[in-house]
């Protein structure tokens, strides 16, 4: 079984400040890890993913995340927040199954950016 | 850029009625999924579909639910007899290599 824990259902940062959204996972096999963003009344957009290889992955809109196996973490960061980053962010984990890579999502973190 | 599309964007139905939610996945993808998100809660996996059959399903996906890929392009989710608790946003996703899943914009289902 796999699970995802996102610390903080709501995070507020000032425009230009560092964004740090925390994600810890539990998986009995090597995980595939993802961050998705959901803007109001829209679907889920893939921000970045980790499958294998380099543990620091870069995504769209200046976001990046680092896979730390020893800490079972995959925190999302962005050096400087922009107003347009206000959205809900979901961390997800999956692994290869029999014809399925079903995603298990965390509860999400709503990011507010204060001008 | 290819994208997953879903219709309708909003469906209102009476309890006990059947609904069909439609999705057009990205054309060269092999894996297809339905997820749902009840208002204020996390996104939950319902079912995955590969090689023209269900590959995995969750506890939520009971006998009231079914999926089909009738014509090689559309991917549908049918709820036979809707309940109030089926009210949610339903997302279709499709995936190719490397386990990436691309989500559609969702169908908001309201059961009255």
């Amino acid at each position: 079984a796999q699970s995802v824990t996102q610390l903080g259902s709501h995070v507020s940062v000032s425009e230009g400040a560092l964004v740090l959204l925390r994600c810890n996972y539990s998986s009995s096999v090597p995980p595939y890890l993802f961050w998705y963003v959901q803007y109001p009344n829209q679907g889920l957009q893939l921000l970045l993913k980790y499958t294998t290889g380099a543990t620091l992955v870069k995504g769209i809109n200046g976001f990046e995340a680092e896979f730390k196996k020893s800490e079972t973490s995959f925190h999302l960061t962005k050096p400087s927040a922009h107003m347009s980053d206000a959205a809900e962010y979901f961390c997800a984990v999956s692994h290869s199954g029999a014809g399925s890579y079903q995603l298990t999502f965390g509860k999400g973190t709503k990011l507010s950016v204060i001008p | 850029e290819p994208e997953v599309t879903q219709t309708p964007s909003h469906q209102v139905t009476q309890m006990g009625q059947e609904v069909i939610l439609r999705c057009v996945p990205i054309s060269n993808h092999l894996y297809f999924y339905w997820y749902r998100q009840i208002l204020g809660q996390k996104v939950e996996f319902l079912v995955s579909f590969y090689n023209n059959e269900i590959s995995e399903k969750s506890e939520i996906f009971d006998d009231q639910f079914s999926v089909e890929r009738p014509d090689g392009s559309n991917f549908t989710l049918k709820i036979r007899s809707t309940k109030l608790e089926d009210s949610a946003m339903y997302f279709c996703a499709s995936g190719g290599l490397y386990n990436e899943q691309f989500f559609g914009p969702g169908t908001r289902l309201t059961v009255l």
Side-chain angles (χ1 to χ4, degrees), chain A residues 4 32 34 36 38 41-46 49 51 88 90 94-108, chain B residues 31 33 35 37 40-45 48-50 55-58 89 91 96 98-106 108:
Chain A
V4 174
Y32 299 150
F34 304 83
Y36 284 85
Q38 186 179 33
N41 300 315
Q42 293 189 28
L44 297 160
Q45 182 182 9
L46 180 65
K49 68 181 187 292
T51 52
E88 190 151 22
F90 293 91
S94 81
H95 61 87
S96 175
S100 172
Y101 296 95
Q102 66 175 88
L103 292 169
T104 300
F105 284 87
K107 291 185 176 180
Chain B
Y31 303 90
Y33 306 84
Y35 293 83
Q37 184 181 31
Q41 298 187 25
K42 65 178 179 179
V43 178
E44 301 172 289
F45 167 76
S48 59
F49 195 84
Y50 171 72
S55 45
E56 276 193 87
K57 58 184 181 180
S58 71
M89 182 74 93
F91 292 106
Y98 306 116
N99 201 15
E100 288 185 3
Q101 290 182 35
F102 295 87
F103 283 75
R108 182 169 296 285

Side-chain angles (χ1 to χ4, degrees), chain A residues 31-32 49-57 67:
Chain A
Y32 299 150
K49 68 181 187 292
Y50 169 79
T51 52
T52 58
T55 56
L56 180 64
V57 291
F67 168 58

